[in-house]
Amino acid sequence: MALSLLPHANVAARVATRNHPPPASTPTLLRRRNPNPLQRHSSSSSSDAAATSTALQCPHFQSCSGCTHEWNLDRPPVIEEAIEFFKSLGVSDFTFESGRLWEWRCRAKLVVRGTPENPLIGLYQEGTHDIVDIPMCRAHHPNINAAVDLLKQGISKLKVELYDEELGTGDLRYVQMAVTTYNTSLPVSDRYQNGKVQISLVWNSRNEHSENHEKLNALSNFLWRNGGARCSNHLIHSIWANFQTSNSNVIFGNRWRHLLGQREFWEHIGGIDICLDPSSFGQANTQAFNSLLRKLQKHVSYGSSVVDLYAGSGIIGLSLAATRKCRSVKCVEINKESELSFEKSVSRLPKTIDSTISWHNTDASLEPLRWLEGSDVVIVDPPRKGLHPSLIDALRHFALSERKIRQAPDGSIVKMKDEKRPWILRAREASVHVEGKTTWDKSQKWPTTLIYISCGWESFKEDSRNLLSSKAWYMEKAHAFNFFPGTQSIEVLAVFKRGGPRIAQAKKKAGKKKTPR
């Protein structure tokens, strides 16, 4: 997926300070009563204290494009709308988890501009390509800010030329900072604050053999010498280079090179160890993502067959295989760069897992019925624009499709077409496949549960209305998470069930009836 240079919610809010420890992450049942925390206190002093306790208090606010509001970080304005939306769909017990309000960002893509004497590392101003330096960003994990400071020192000391957009000259264009808190030698309570930073330098050259490669090596050696594993202040996990010469709004090029430090980047999320290459998509707020995964797992029955669409590196699917003892897990992802990370993560799964696991490199919108067939649960985690129309259509007309399948002499309707496109045929075969120990009957079944994870509120509302209009699904539960405090964005986890709510209620009532003596 191409990454835009222009600011957006996924490169939002960044700052860290040790002076304000974040509150514990606590799910809250939302009510209409007293939605504004300031209204819960009668005295002005207590109101001021409440306001300050959840305020951004960032020196870069207004000039930086990352954060959109600085008050009530524990309750984004969109929550009130969300309460009403879910209530209109019959979900009255909608929950919201505010989580960590500062120092939450563990992954940041930052622009590097300016001069060797005065390097600027931060974000663009809203609607411009004027960079805002954000050295004291309160959303960043503290060690991201520390790594940025060290990088600035190296740039100045070594006279590294920084990229000039108009001329296309200079060496260093962008930097990605990613924090891993995976460290089994430390107590669990100490691991987050002691996270190590993977630094990816986006270099303005075709490859590591270009004429400016000596300056790249000098900069990476400086960073490792002053923040690497042998330093008293061990800050850096590893250093990578990405080579990019395009003048487009795409941050990364296609060529990567590991320079120093550990090659593999591990994190423990959702009950499993996962591996992420610097080119793979990773959630910025790892603690909030872990909370979402734990909530999601409760909505998947033990022994289910799961298909995970828009799967990325397969974190969701693999966590379910491990924690819910799934019969099978199919992961479908369009980005081929995620395959290696998936493969490494599979290698760390407990040996006791008896699940057939596969990863397919293809577009989930192509032949969606083929991917849905044979599963009890379908999980979708689409980009901000929401689900592809072909997938919505397949889910909307589920009941009709199943009737057609039962009438077809040779099984599934998706097998009735003689496919001749080689790239589609290749995608059907798993790029990664792990066979379970137990042989299960391959019954012809279709998902009865749809779990939708959304990072785009507007597209989620539209997709929900389209899905529910067919009367083939109803929404059973909805939860939201504060993935980007200081912005209008929320992450939604919604659980849909096959059939109508009246049918579900009738089944519940029937189950409660006492059997006659």
Side-chain angles (χ1 to χ4, degrees):
M1 180 174 63
L3 298 169
S4 171
L5 302 181
L6 297 177
H8 52 78
N10 280 346
V11 287
R14 332 177 175 231
V15 169
T17 177
R18 291 182 174 86
N19 298 327
H20 299 273
S25 175
T26 306
T28 304
L29 184 64
L30 295 180
R31 299 179 176 88
R32 290 291 297 168
R33 195 176 300 166
N34 291 337
N36 188 338
L38 299 184
Q39 296 174 359
R40 300 174 192 153
H41 304 271
S42 56
S43 68
S44 60
S45 60
S46 59
S47 296
D48 292 341
T52 303
S53 68
T54 59
L56 182 61
Q57 301 183 65
C58 178
H60 310 303
F61 187 73
Q62 291 183 330
S63 60
C64 170
S65 62
C67 297
T68 58
H69 59 277
E70 57 183 336
W71 303 105
N72 302 336
L73 299 191
D74 61 332
R75 194 180 181 92
V78 72
I79 286 298
E80 299 307 316
E81 179 189 343
I83 294 171
E84 294 303 323
F85 175 77
F86 290 116
K87 187 184 294 184
S88 71
L89 300 180
V91 179
S92 58
D93 55 351
F94 166 62
T95 64
F96 173 65
E97 189 169 313
S98 62
R100 181 183 287 267
L101 303 182
W102 311 278
E103 302 181 354
W104 54 267
R105 180 172 280 279
C106 291
R107 184 172 293 261
K109 299 178 182 71
L110 303 172
V111 189
V112 184
R113 297 291 186 269
T115 64
E117 297 74 26
N118 183 32
L120 306 174
I121 301 180
L123 300 178
Y124 290 131
Q125 268 188 325
E126 188 71 35
T128 76
H129 270 215
D130 299 328
I131 188 172
V132 177
D133 196 36
I134 53 173
M136 295 182 288
C137 174
R138 289 213 57 199
H140 280 167
H141 186 287
N143 286 346
I144 289 182
N145 286 343
V148 166
D149 182 64
L150 182 60
L151 177 58
K152 286 183 176 181
Q153 294 178 38
I155 291 169
S156 297
K157 183 177 179 63
L158 300 170
K159 307 296 183 186
V160 176
E161 293 297 324
L162 305 180
Y163 187 64
D164 185 306
E165 288 186 46
E166 293 184 3
L167 301 177
T169 58
D171 295 329
L172 184 58
R173 300 170 61 131
Y174 308 98
V175 63
Q176 175 177 267
M177 303 281 188
V179 176
T180 171
T181 62
Y182 186 92
N183 188 344
T184 55
S185 66
L186 292 175
V188 174
S189 59
D190 295 340
R191 292 177 187 176
Y192 190 84
Q193 287 298 112
N194 288 279
K196 301 296 182 284
V197 185
Q198 178 193 71
I199 300 178
S200 298
L201 305 169
V202 182
W203 209 250
N204 188 32
S205 64
R206 292 184 180 278
N207 53 51
E208 62 271 30
H209 304 299
S210 299
E211 58 184 36
N212 58 355
H213 75 280
E214 291 184 2
K215 192 59 69 78
L216 171 62
N217 291 335
L219 180 59
S220 60
N221 287 331
F222 173 88
L223 294 171
W224 191 248
R225 193 165 57 248
N226 291 279
R230 295 185 179 181
C231 296
S232 57
N233 180 28
H234 183 193
L235 173 68
I236 299 175
H237 169 275
S238 58
I239 303 172
W240 289 72
N242 175 264
F243 300 97
Q244 170 67 294
T245 57
S246 169
N247 58 2
S248 68
N249 279 359
V250 177
I251 293 177
F252 295 138
N254 294 323
R255 188 176 181 87
W256 290 85
R257 181 188 171 195
H258 173 246
L259 299 177
L260 292 165
Q262 299 179 49
R263 186 178 187 90
E264 294 182 350
F265 180 96
W266 291 94
E267 191 58 273
H268 190 79
I269 301 176
I272 62 169
D273 292 348
I274 60 101
C275 184
L276 288 174
D277 282 348
S279 59
S280 301
F281 171 78
Q283 290 286 354
N285 194 333
T286 53
Q287 290 197 330
F289 184 46
N290 187 60
S291 296
L292 183 148
L293 288 177
R294 291 302 191 184
K295 183 75 74 173
L296 184 153
Q297 290 163 5
K298 296 177 181 178
H299 293 291
V300 176
S301 301
Y302 280 99
S304 296
S305 294
V306 176
V307 58
D308 180 9
L309 306 181
Y310 307 93
S313 300
I315 299 172
I316 297 173
L318 293 179
S319 74
L320 291 174
T323 61
R324 308 307 285 176
K325 297 179 170 56
C326 295
R327 285 203 246 175
S328 68
V329 173
K330 288 186 294 186
C331 296
V332 182
E333 168 58 33
I334 193 171
N335 180 11
K336 64 180 180 180
E337 301 293 338
S338 299
E339 180 181 352
L340 183 59
S341 294
F342 180 86
E343 222 168 357
K344 291 177 181 177
S345 299
V346 168
S347 71
R348 286 268 189 106
L349 290 176
K351 302 302 180 185
T352 55
I353 289 180
D354 183 12
S355 179
T356 298
I357 300 170
S358 59
W359 188 90
H360 304 258
N361 179 211
T362 188
D363 187 341
S365 66
L366 300 175
E367 296 189 316
L369 287 175
R370 177 175 290 278
W371 302 115
L372 299 175
E373 185 183 12
S375 298
D376 304 303
V377 180
V378 55
I379 298 171
V380 293
D381 184 10
R384 194 164 298 277
K385 63 183 179 181
L387 296 176
H388 191 278
S390 65
L391 183 54
I392 293 178
D393 188 60
L395 293 166
R396 272 171 49 91
H397 299 289
F398 223 66
L400 176 61
S401 298
E402 192 168 8
R403 284 196 295 271
K404 285 184 178 179
I405 290 165
R406 288 172 179 170
Q407 295 168 4
D410 296 322
S412 169
I413 58 171
V414 295
K415 296 176 183 175
M416 295 172 68
K417 180 180 178 180
D418 185 17
E419 183 59 70
K420 297 180 180 179
R421 294 170 291 179
W423 58 93
I424 299 296
L425 294 172
R426 284 196 298 270
R428 291 177 183 173
E429 299 299 321
S431 301
V432 181
H433 183 86
V434 181
E435 192 66 44
K437 302 179 186 69
T438 304
T439 302
W440 301 95
D441 292 334
K442 293 184 178 180
S443 57
Q444 192 178 78
K445 57 184 177 182
W446 296 83
T448 55
T449 300
L450 164 64
I451 300 179
Y452 192 136
I453 302 168
S454 169
C455 60
W457 174 241
E458 293 301 325
S459 60
F460 169 75
K461 289 191 296 181
E462 182 178 357
D463 287 349
S464 295
R465 293 187 185 106
N466 286 334
L467 286 168
L468 298 173
S469 66
S470 66
K471 306 299 182 184
W473 298 93
Y474 72 95
M475 191 182 293
E476 182 182 64
K477 293 284 184 180
H479 314 281
F481 301 83
N482 203 10
F483 271 38
F484 303 98
T487 75
Q488 180 73 343
S489 177
I490 56 173
E491 198 88 1
V492 172
L493 171 66
V495 181
F496 296 80
K497 293 288 186 178
R498 282 276 299 279
R502 292 181 181 177
I503 296 175
Q505 290 171 5
K507 288 182 179 179
K508 287 182 181 179
K509 289 180 180 179
K512 292 179 181 178
K513 288 181 179 179
K514 295 181 180 180
T515 54
R517 295 178 182 177

